[in-house]
């Protein structure tokens, strides 16, 4: 499976889609954190500053800083990103509960900004299925 | 002419463990009493579609209370509740429902609850089988076995958005967004400690692993319904409970999540109605 979010050609469009999303703009108030997204062996960092995605960094260096991470196998992401995901892959919380996705690092920030984080993931799903 | 619903709301005073509570409930219909218990951290608004369903209210007097500390049921006046951590215990939850039924003069009501209310269905069947005509556990299990990260549900730097958006993923993608969002809205409105306190019963006090087999369905019929998309209590979890309760009836609800009655009432009713007709006909 090709994850469009990880395609360098898609990065700027993804960033724009997130920043133009009316719900994300509401959800991301006071949000300034770096989210490490781990897709099996692939990684990216979504840098959010003052409620806007400033940068999406593909293939970050090992010491690039991040605040919290969302991590899953490529098989789990493939299920998560389907237009109608199977049970327990339809949201970050159920995937965490069933331990197919892991959230770690600064959990307080991850949960304080959970609305914005889950909206980013929903937009990644929407882009995947365009 | 005003557009009015036939649901009415009232307050009843109920004593539980020596403390008086002013309890709000909504009701509609005539017939067999059907008590509907909301989920943890929410309130009786979750049952509004059922309360308005004329097919159900022609057979049943539907009663949806707000548990004390929830919705319009305020904390009690007689204690300094703000000096204690809010925790829902099994004994309080059981005695609340027995006393609610007695206070309203109900004759052997049917009990139905979802999530923590679903867990209570087999607890009532085990501990107070003579008080109820039948119990319907929606999203019920023997006990929840996956890790309970309760501290994040009451935290000074994590707002009620977290609860709402955590619950978003507990519903099926098939359910209409407007009703999923309404369910989330209700979840964002409980008092700060309430969801975590309710989960004390849900995760810790409810445990029928060694006792579910004692439930006698010849005395009190037990019906179980669980949504395909419920990550908290999966259909497999409920199946294990059903296997322990001889004579119980379990049905997996396809295309539904943790909140059938509020996320997609039409789909939920297809599974519920045969049960309500069976109870009414027995």
């Amino acid at each position: 499976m090709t994850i469009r979010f990880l395609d360098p050609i898609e990065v700027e469009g993804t960033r724009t889609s997130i920043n133009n999303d009316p719900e994300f703009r509401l959800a991301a108030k006071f949000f300034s954190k770096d989210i490490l997204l781990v897709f099996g062996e692939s990684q990216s960092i979504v840098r959010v500053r003052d409620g806007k995605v400033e940068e999406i960094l593909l293939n970050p260096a090992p010491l690039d800083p991040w605040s919290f991470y969302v991590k899953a196998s490529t098989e789990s992401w493939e299920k998560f990103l389907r237009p109608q995901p199977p049970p327990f892959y339809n949201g970050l919380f159920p995937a965490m509960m069933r331990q197919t996705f892991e959230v770690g690092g600064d959990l307080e920030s991850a949960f304080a900004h959970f609305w914005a984080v889950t909206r980013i993931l929903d937009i990644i799903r929407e882009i995947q299925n365009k | 002419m005003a557009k009015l619903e036939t649901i009415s709301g009232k307050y009843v005073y109920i004593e539980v463990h020596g403390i008086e509570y002013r309890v709000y409930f909504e009701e509609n219909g005539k017939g067999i009493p059907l008590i509907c218990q909301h989920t943890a951290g929410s309130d009786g608004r979750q049952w509004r579609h059922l309360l308005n369903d004329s097919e159900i209210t022609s057979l049943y007097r539907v009663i949806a209370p707000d548990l004390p500390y929830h919705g319009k049921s305020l904390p009690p006046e007689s204690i300094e509740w703000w000096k204690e951590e809010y925790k829902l215990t099994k004994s309080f939850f059981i005695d609340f429902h027995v006393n609610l039924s007695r206070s309203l003069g109900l004759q052997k009501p049917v009990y139905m609850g979802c999530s923590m209310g679903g867990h209570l269905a087999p607890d009532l069947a085990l501990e107070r089988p003579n008080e109820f005509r039948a119990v319907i556990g929606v999203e019920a299990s023997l006990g929840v076995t996956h890790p309970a990260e309760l501290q994040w549900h009451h935290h000074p730097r994590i707002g009620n958005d977290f609860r709402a958006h955590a619950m978003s993923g507990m519903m099926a993608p098939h359910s209409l967004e407007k009703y999923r969002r309404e369910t989330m809205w209700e979840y964002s409105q409980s008092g700060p400690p309430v969801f975590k306190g309710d989960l004390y019963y849900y995760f810790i006090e409810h445990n029928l692993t060694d006792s579910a087999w004692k439930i006698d369905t010849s005395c009190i019929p037990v019906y179980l319904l669980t949504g395909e998309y419920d990550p908290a209590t999966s259909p497999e979890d409920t199946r294990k409970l059903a296997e322990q309760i001889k004579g119980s009836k379990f049905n997996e609800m396809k295309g539904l999540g943790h909140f059938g009655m509020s996320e997609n009432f039409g789909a939920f009713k297809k599974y519920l109605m045969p049960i309500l007709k069976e109870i009414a006909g027995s």
Side-chain angles (χ1 to χ4, degrees):
Chain A
M1 178 201 177
T2 303
I3 294 175
R4 292 180 63 174
F5 174 77
L6 296 172
D7 184 343
I9 296 169
E10 301 269 4
V11 164
E12 191 52 30
T14 302
R15 193 177 77 85
T16 304
S17 294
I18 295 170
N19 285 335
N20 287 344
D21 181 72
E23 186 175 345
F24 177 77
R25 285 155 74 161
L26 286 174
K29 283 180 181 172
F30 310 109
F31 190 15
S32 293
K33 295 289 173 186
D34 301 327
I35 313 166
L36 176 68
L37 298 177
V38 183
F39 303 78
E41 299 299 311
S42 303
Q43 297 186 349
S44 70
I45 292 175
V46 179
R47 296 200 193 285
V48 185
R49 291 292 176 273
D50 298 322
K52 286 185 178 172
V53 177
E54 196 175 77
E55 180 187 20
I56 297 174
L57 180 63
L58 299 181
N59 304 311
L63 295 180
D64 278 335
W66 45 266
S67 315
F68 55 87
Y69 65 81
V70 177
K71 177 182 175 183
S73 66
T74 48
E75 292 78 18
S76 291
W77 277 105
E78 185 272 322
K79 291 175 184 169
F80 187 91
L81 294 175
R82 289 182 199 170
Q84 193 169 90
F88 319 143
Y89 290 90
N90 54 311
L92 182 55
F93 198 69
M96 286 164 55
M97 287 180 85
R98 290 285 160 174
Q99 298 178 326
T100 54
F101 273 59
E102 183 183 329
V103 178
D106 180 2
L107 283 177
E108 184 182 308
S109 292
F111 293 151
H113 299 290
F114 202 70
W115 180 12
V117 174
T118 53
R119 188 63 201 139
I120 288 173
L121 296 179
D122 287 344
I123 294 168
I124 290 173
R125 180 188 287 127
E126 289 165 18
I127 290 169
Q128 183 73 19
N129 294 293
K130 263 185 185 170
Chain B
M1 192 71 178
K3 186 178 174 184
L4 293 173
E5 294 187 356
T6 51
I7 297 172
S8 62
K10 297 185 182 76
Y11 290 90
V12 59
Y13 286 81
I14 297 170
E15 193 172 301
V16 185
H17 299 172
I19 296 169
E20 186 181 69
Y21 296 89
R22 177 177 177 260
V23 173
Y24 179 73
F25 67 100
E26 293 182 346
E27 69 170 309
N28 199 12
K30 286 181 180 169
I32 301 166
L34 170 63
I35 295 175
C36 297
Q37 172 61 52
H38 57 75
T39 65
S42 191
D43 58 63
R45 287 176 296 175
Q46 290 179 321
W47 297 102
R48 75 175 180 100
H49 304 287
L50 194 148
L51 279 157
N52 272 317
D53 187 277
S54 59
E55 191 179 6
I56 294 175
T57 56
S58 66
L59 288 172
Y60 285 88
R61 177 186 172 192
V62 182
I63 298 165
D66 290 348
L67 202 63
Y69 297 87
H70 298 68
K72 291 163 85 78
S73 295
L74 291 166
E77 292 184 45
S78 62
I79 59 167
E80 293 181 325
W81 52 267
W82 54 92
K83 294 181 180 176
E84 299 169 13
E85 186 175 4
Y86 170 75
K87 272 186 181 177
L88 178 64
T89 63
K90 184 171 78 172
S91 66
F92 177 89
F93 209 6
I94 287 174
D95 290 343
F96 169 81
H97 272 285
V98 169
N99 293 355
L100 172 70
S101 170
R102 290 177 181 173
S103 297
L104 293 176
L106 306 180
Q107 298 299 313
K108 294 204 79 164
V110 177
Y111 170 86
M112 174 165 63
C114 181
S115 184
M116 70 169 188
H119 279 1
L120 190 68
D123 279 339
L124 288 172
L126 177 66
E127 301 203 15
R128 302 296 176 94
N130 298 319
E131 298 280 348
F132 298 89
R133 184 178 309 235
V135 294
I136 305 169
V138 184
E139 320 304 322
S141 72
L142 285 165
V144 178
T145 52
H146 45 77
E149 301 289 349
L150 298 184
Q151 74 269 24
W152 301 112
H153 292 300
H154 183 205
H155 189 285
R157 288 180 293 281
I158 296 174
N160 50 12
D161 280 338
F162 170 57
R163 285 198 295 276
H165 290 274
M167 294 306 107
S168 170
M170 307 268 286
M171 291 176 270
H174 315 65
S175 299
L176 286 178
E177 181 161 17
K178 63 180 177 180
Y179 294 127
R180 285 190 277 126
R181 295 283 180 161
E182 180 180 299
T183 304
M184 293 160 64
W185 180 258
E186 291 158 357
Y187 253 88
S188 63
Q189 293 185 323
S190 61
V194 168
F195 187 43
K196 181 187 171 193
D198 286 346
L199 293 180
Y200 178 75
Y201 165 75
Y202 182 83
F203 278 109
I204 295 162
E205 287 229 320
H206 171 77
N207 189 343
L208 289 171
T209 308
D210 298 321
S211 54
W213 65 273
K214 296 177 187 169
I215 294 171
D216 181 0
T217 56
S218 68
C219 177
I220 178 164
V222 175
Y223 299 89
L224 302 167
L225 295 171
T226 293
E228 177 189 21
Y229 274 80
D230 184 355
T233 294
S234 70
E236 194 49 42
D237 295 328
T238 306
R239 195 165 285 116
K240 288 175 186 165
L241 171 65
E243 284 168 2
Q244 294 286 317
I245 307 174
K246 192 178 172 188
S248 64
K249 295 180 180 177
F250 166 55
N251 211 348
E252 177 181 344
M253 300 186 289
K254 294 287 183 188
L256 280 170
H258 192 74
F259 305 97
M261 66 289 180
S262 60
E263 69 175 87
N264 188 344
F265 177 69
F268 178 67
K269 187 185 170 187
K270 286 178 187 164
Y271 292 96
L272 178 65
M273 208 59 221
I275 295 171
L276 295 180
K277 284 182 176 172
E278 184 170 299
I279 295 169
S282 62

